[in-house]
């Protein structure tokens, strides 16, 4: 069955809604589920892309260069005479905040951030693929709803772990609530 709300009116301080209840045939149910699955899979991909964009803020090549320079600097034994510009920039950025770090410490900060982001990327990709695959084979709306909740919880936790504000990520799905319905 499918229910569609047709407006409402305030009666004695309570909202009353009229509903049209339609019985769907199997083909319509399957079509609705197929559309819901496709929309959710598209949303999962979009959410992953949005998080990546927010984490990197369009600075992917800059972060890759800093990681490359820091990796080479560390491999060379942190030579005092040849500090790469990315490491020097990290030192100066910290100094502007009143924090004094050595070139070795600045290098290690860059590398730790790179490892953290690479781990987050791998986790995001793994979960995105798993959720999208599970959604593709979901047999009903209930299974799809479980996947949606898992995805939102995962993304919310990932935003928190990466310390990215969640202002553009939708709020967690509201818990199902029983609403009194009077069929007229």
């Amino acid at each position: 069955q499918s229910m569609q709300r047709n407006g409402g009116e305030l009666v004695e301080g309570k909202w009353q809604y009229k509903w049209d209840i339609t019985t769907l045939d199997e083909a319509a149910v399957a079509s609705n589920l197929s559309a819901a699955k496709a929309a959710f899979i598209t949303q999962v991909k979009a959410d992953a892309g949005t998080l990546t964009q927010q984490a990197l803020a369009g600075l992917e090549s800059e972060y890759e260069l800093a990681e490359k320079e820091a990796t080479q600097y560390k491999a060379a034994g942190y030579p005092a005479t040849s500090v790469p510009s990315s490491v020097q920039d990290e030192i100066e950025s910290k100094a502007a905040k009143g924090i004094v770090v050595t070139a070795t410490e600045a290098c290690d900060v860059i590398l730790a951030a790179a490892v953290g982001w690479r781990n987050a990327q791998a986790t995001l990709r793994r979960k995105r693929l798993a959720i999208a695959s599970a959604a593709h084979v979901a047999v009903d709306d209930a299974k799809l709803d479980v996947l949606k909740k898992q995805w939102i919880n995962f993304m919310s936790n990932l935003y928190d772990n990466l310390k990215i504000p969640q202002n553009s990520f939708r709020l967690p799905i509201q818990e199902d609530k029983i609403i009194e319905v009077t069929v007229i």
Side-chain angles (χ1 to χ4, degrees), residues 63-80 82-94 100-116:
Y63 292 140
E64 288 173 4
L65 175 63
E67 180 182 9
K68 179 181 175 185
E69 288 182 354
T71 300
Q72 291 171 346
Y73 182 64
K74 182 176 181 176
Y78 305 103
S82 173
V83 177
S85 62
S86 294
V87 173
Q88 187 60 47
D89 294 342
E90 185 70 25
I91 293 168
E92 292 171 12
S93 172
K94 297 286 189 223
V100 177
V101 295
T102 65
T104 299
E105 292 167 334
C107 177
D108 290 344
V109 164
I110 292 169
L111 293 175
V115 166

Side-chain angles (χ1 to χ4, degrees), residues 11-156:
V11 177
E12 297 177 12
K14 293 183 181 179
W15 280 99
Q16 290 185 354
Y17 294 96
K18 295 180 181 178
W19 295 82
D20 290 333
I21 300 175
T22 307
T23 300
L24 301 175
D25 62 19
E26 286 184 34
V29 170
S31 177
N32 288 349
L33 179 59
S34 181
K37 290 181 342 182
F40 177 58
I41 291 167
T42 298
Q43 185 63 49
V44 166
K45 291 176 183 178
D47 289 348
T50 297
L51 181 135
T52 300
Q53 180 59 35
Q54 288 178 331
L56 300 177
L59 301 172
E60 295 89 347
S61 62
E62 180 183 313
Y63 292 140
E64 288 173 4
L65 175 63
E67 180 182 9
K68 179 181 175 185
E69 288 182 354
T71 300
Q72 291 171 346
Y73 182 64
K74 182 176 181 176
Y78 305 103
T81 58
S82 173
V83 177
S85 62
S86 294
V87 173
Q88 187 60 47
D89 294 342
E90 185 70 25
I91 293 168
E92 292 171 12
S93 172
K94 297 286 189 223
K97 297 175 190 174
I99 302 168
V100 177
V101 295
T102 65
T104 299
E105 292 167 334
C107 177
D108 290 344
V109 164
I110 292 169
L111 293 175
V115 166
W117 173 243
R118 298 254 182 250
N119 289 339
Q121 278 182 309
T123 301
L124 176 61
R125 182 175 195 283
R126 187 177 315 110
K127 188 67 167 183
R128 177 182 57 80
L129 291 173
I131 289 285
S133 295
H136 183 74
V137 299
V139 295
D140 58 28
D141 288 325
K143 299 282 187 200
L144 194 57
D145 286 345
V146 168
L147 294 171
K148 288 176 181 179
K149 288 179 182 180
Q150 287 175 0
W151 177 251
I152 288 174
N153 288 335
F154 166 78
M155 289 296 289
S156 182

Side-chain angles (χ1 to χ4, degrees), residues 127-184:
K127 188 67 167 183
R128 177 182 57 80
L129 291 173
I131 289 285
S133 295
H136 183 74
V137 299
V139 295
D140 58 28
D141 288 325
K143 299 282 187 200
L144 194 57
D145 286 345
V146 168
L147 294 171
K148 288 176 181 179
K149 288 179 182 180
Q150 287 175 0
W151 177 251
I152 288 174
N153 288 335
F154 166 78
M155 289 296 289
S156 182
N157 289 335
L158 191 54
Y159 268 86
D160 286 345
N161 290 339
L162 293 171
K163 296 178 179 45
I164 299 172
Q166 295 186 40
N167 54 1
S168 69
F169 187 69
R170 64 191 185 284
L171 296 174
I173 295 173
Q174 293 180 349
E175 292 299 317
D176 294 336
K177 294 184 175 137
I178 296 174
I179 301 171
E180 288 184 35
V181 175
T182 303
V183 178
I184 300 174

